[in-house]
């Protein structure tokens, strides 16, 4: 069964953090080589903290397809919402059916503001927790474009460089609820105060707490490497982590940051910067201790080759297209701010089984959430996405 998955992988301005060393090898002793491999059991209870502008829509698509493959129960947002109460701090009743289903959900991956005690009420005791971070420099530029119309601090500045030249001129703490995307957004998503003063004792305590709450933190700037590490850690198949990049935008909406702006982001978003530096380091350490860089490289090549194969099966253009070029409006991604969010056109002559698989791979977040909600809660009113339905009946 071809089960694929979607993504984003921004190759980022953070190459200098990348701790890869081509000459690095982990040497195993003779005894270790003779030992039988540890049996690997597929992990099906998984909580993904979906952070903003970090390729997380691609991961969500992977999670949804995995849930369908294993017939798992997803903790979906209640009623007409598409997020789990965000930006409010998560509480268990934000999940549809929590009162009757209780602590029996397998997968949780829609946007929420992390609150470990409440999440634990929903997810099984043996749940695997992971999340994803991105270099705050391209992240802030992406947030600026995507949330330009919603965030007062962004709305009142001409462009991202003007905002960064003097952030406090535009960013007012009184508007902090509306301005969360303008400063330390990842810190906020993990449940912490994004306007806290950056002092070593405080940041160290938060980093340690995140390490206790999460088994794995991936890095969006190395998305393919992240998918290989995730596959190994969860004992999933390669096809479980195949993806098409979702929720990405056209290059002409990217604003070029000045060197001054890049340096300013490290100061203005210093909590996110410390978070990223810390977990970027632990990410590469984890790879070196488990897979090894040589195997990683081979598996990344394999992933990309498989992805290309799947794209050739599914897509008519072999790449994402602008919103006005998407033929099937049921597959149109949500458009936000000044971004032009790209989508895909599928080949016309696919057999019904292949078509269904390809549709799931390119299905935007809102449509997929609405579809899964209809499957899991057939007696509830379907979530409205304001677009034509891809399938009028769930059996199609």
């Amino acid at each position: 069964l071809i089960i694929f998955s979607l993504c984003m992988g921004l190759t980022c301005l953070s190459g200098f953090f990348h701790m890869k060393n081509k000459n690095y090898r982990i040497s195993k002793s003779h005894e270790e080589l003779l030992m039988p491999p540890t049996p690997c059991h597929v992990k099906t209870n998984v909580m993904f903290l979906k952070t903003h502008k970090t390729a997380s829509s691609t991961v969500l698509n992977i999670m949804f397809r995995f849930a369908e493959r294993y017939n798992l129960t997803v903790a979906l947002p209640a009623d007409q919402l598409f997020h789990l109460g965000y930006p409010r701090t998560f509480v268990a009743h934000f999940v549809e059916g929590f009162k009757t289903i209780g602590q029996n959900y397998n997968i949780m991956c829609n946007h929420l503001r992390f609150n470990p005690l409440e999440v634990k009420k929903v997810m099984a005791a043996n749940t695997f927790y992971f999340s994803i971070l991105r270099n705050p420099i391209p992240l802030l530029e992406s947030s600026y474009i995507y949330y330009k119309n919603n965030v007062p601090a962004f709305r009142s500045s001409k462009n991202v460089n003007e905002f960064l030249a003097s952030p406090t001129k535009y960013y007012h703490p009184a508007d902090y609820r509306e301005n969360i995307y303008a400063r330390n957004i990842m810190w906020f998503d993990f449940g912490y105060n994004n306007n806290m003063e950056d002092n070593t004792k405080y940041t160290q305590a938060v980093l340690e707490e995140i390490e206790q709450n999460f088994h794995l933190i991936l890095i969006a700037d190395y998305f393919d490497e992240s998918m290989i590490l995730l596959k190994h850690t969860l004992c999933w198949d390669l096809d479980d982590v195949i993806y098409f990049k979702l929720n990405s935008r056209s290059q002409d909406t990217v604003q070029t940051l000045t060197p001054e702006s890049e340096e300013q982001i490290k100061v203005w978003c210093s909590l996110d910067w410390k978070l990223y530096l810390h977990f970027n380091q632990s990410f590469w350490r984890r790879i070196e201790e488990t897979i090894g860089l040589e195997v990683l490289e081979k598996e990344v090549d394999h992933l990309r080759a498989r992805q290309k194969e799947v794209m050739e099966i599914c897509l008519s253009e072999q790449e994402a297209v602008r919103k006005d070029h998407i033929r099937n409006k049921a597959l149109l991604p949500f458009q936000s701010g000044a971004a032009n969010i790209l989508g895909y056109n599928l080949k016309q002559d696919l057999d019904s089984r292949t078509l269904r698989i390809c549709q799931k791979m390119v299905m935007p977040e809102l449509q997929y959430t609405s579809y899964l909600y209809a499957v899991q809660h057939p007696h509830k009113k379907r979530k409205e996405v304001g677009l034509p339905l891809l399938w009028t009946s769930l059996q199609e």
Side-chain angles (χ1 to χ4, degrees):
L1 179 69
I2 311 170
I3 302 268
F4 324 92
S5 194
L6 113 122
C7 149
M8 104 140 221
L10 263 179
T11 343
C12 187
L13 312 113
S14 66
F16 55 93
F17 297 118
H18 186 167
M19 294 166 60
K20 258 207 241 183
N21 173 350
K22 298 282 187 201
N23 302 318
Y24 186 97
R25 297 285 180 273
I26 294 176
S27 55
K28 286 183 163 53
S29 70
H30 184 62
E31 289 76 14
E32 277 181 298
L33 291 169
L34 292 174
M35 281 168 68
T38 316
C40 204
H41 300 291
V42 176
K43 289 184 173 63
T44 52
N45 292 331
V46 184
M47 190 275 166
F48 169 59
L49 175 62
K50 187 179 191 297
T51 47
H52 285 80
K53 312 314 299 161
T54 57
S56 62
S57 293
T58 300
V59 180
L60 175 126
N61 181 279
I62 288 170
M63 301 294 291
F64 278 173
R65 284 185 290 111
F66 181 82
E68 287 201 88
R69 177 185 179 181
Y70 284 94
N71 197 23
L72 304 174
T73 306
V74 183
L76 293 166
D79 305 318
Q80 288 297 302
L81 288 178
F82 286 89
H83 50 71
L84 292 159
Y86 194 90
R88 287 175 293 166
T89 301
F90 176 77
V91 287
H93 72 253
F94 291 160
V95 173
E96 187 64 74
F98 171 68
K99 280 185 179 161
T100 50
I101 297 172
Q103 198 185 15
N104 289 307
Y105 293 89
N106 308 109
I107 300 287
M108 178 185 263
C109 56
N110 289 82
H111 274 306
L112 60 82
R113 189 171 185 217
F114 194 61
N115 180 359
L117 295 176
E118 289 292 311
V119 170
K120 278 172 184 158
K121 290 180 186 175
V122 175
M123 301 303 290
N126 67 346
T127 295
F128 182 90
Y129 288 79
F130 80 102
S131 189
I132 190 164
L133 300 173
R134 182 183 176 190
N135 185 322
I137 295 171
L139 186 148
L140 190 116
E141 184 277 331
S142 176
S143 293
Y144 186 91
I145 301 299
Y146 198 83
Y147 299 111
K148 176 74 173 157
N149 304 337
N150 310 87
V151 173
F154 292 161
R155 214 169 35 226
S156 52
S157 54
K158 272 207 310 279
N159 56 50
V160 69
N161 290 307
E162 184 181 90
F163 167 71
L164 286 164
S166 182
T168 50
K169 181 176 160 186
Y170 305 102
Y171 183 97
H172 305 299
D175 301 330
Y176 107 94
R177 277 285 178 199
E178 291 78 39
N179 274 331
I180 51 175
Y181 302 106
R183 189 179 199 193
N184 295 313
I185 180 60
M186 296 188 290
W187 200 263
F188 183 87
D189 287 348
F190 274 86
Y192 302 100
N193 181 348
N194 59 324
N195 288 308
M196 272 301 267
E197 195 183 326
D198 178 359
N199 74 66
T200 308
K201 193 179 173 188
Y202 166 68
T203 53
Q204 199 49 45
V206 167
L207 294 174
E208 283 170 18
E209 196 167 75
I210 292 171
E211 281 183 335
Q212 282 162 13
N213 287 329
F214 289 86
H215 300 97
L216 181 65
I217 304 287
L218 303 176
I219 301 294
D221 313 87
Y222 306 103
F223 195 84
D224 289 347
E225 292 84 351
S226 290
M227 290 306 98
I228 297 302
L229 182 57
L230 185 69
K231 174 183 87 75
H232 275 266
T233 313
L234 298 179
C235 299
W236 287 9
D237 295 338
L238 181 69
D239 272 351
D240 291 329
V241 296
I242 296 290
Y243 65 89
F244 295 159
K245 189 171 169 178
L246 294 193
N247 208 32
S248 62
R249 62 194 159 123
S250 60
Q251 269 306 112
D252 60 357
T253 64
V254 177
Q255 293 185 6
T256 306
L257 293 162
T258 64
E260 293 76 19
S261 290
E262 292 190 6
E263 289 308 309
Q264 176 68 283
I265 291 169
K266 296 178 193 176
V267 178
W268 175 244
C269 296
S270 65
L271 299 172
D272 271 3
W273 186 246
K274 285 190 173 171
L275 183 67
Y276 175 75
L277 288 183
H278 178 86
F279 285 104
N280 183 63
Q281 231 178 10
S282 66
F283 172 78
W284 289 106
R285 192 163 58 241
R286 179 80 162 257
I287 281 172
E288 287 165 349
E289 288 167 359
T290 55
I291 309 170
L293 293 164
E294 202 174 355
V295 172
L296 175 76
E297 212 166 321
K298 283 183 185 146
E299 292 208 25
V300 165
D301 288 346
H302 192 189
L303 171 78
R304 288 172 181 163
R306 181 75 179 116
Q307 198 164 9
K308 192 168 180 291
E309 206 178 294
V310 175
M311 284 183 129
E312 282 165 7
I313 293 166
C314 291
L315 304 180
S316 56
E317 284 95 348
Q318 307 300 299
E319 61 180 7
V321 298
R322 295 172 69 92
K323 61 184 178 188
D324 42 346
H325 293 159
I326 297 168
R327 289 192 296 268
N328 185 344
K329 295 309 169 199
L331 293 173
L332 186 73
F334 177 72
Q335 302 294 318
S336 177
N340 184 325
I341 306 299
L342 306 174
Y344 295 93
N345 287 319
L346 299 177
K347 284 186 175 171
Q348 307 281 0
D349 54 349
L350 300 171
D351 66 78
S352 58
R353 184 172 161 273
T354 307
L355 175 65
R356 186 76 166 209
I357 290 167
C358 294
Q359 284 171 332
K360 298 277 176 74
M361 289 212 55
V362 302
M363 194 183 288
E365 183 176 330
L366 301 190
Q367 288 93 313
Y368 213 152
T369 300
S370 171
Y371 161 74
L372 279 187
Y373 185 84
V375 172
Q376 284 190 191
H377 307 284
H379 305 300
K380 292 269 183 182
K381 182 178 184 286
R382 190 164 181 161
K383 292 182 190 286
E384 301 288 342
V385 290
L387 292 166
L389 286 176
L390 191 58
W391 308 296
T392 47
S393 79
L394 299 177
Q395 278 69 48
E396 270 179 37

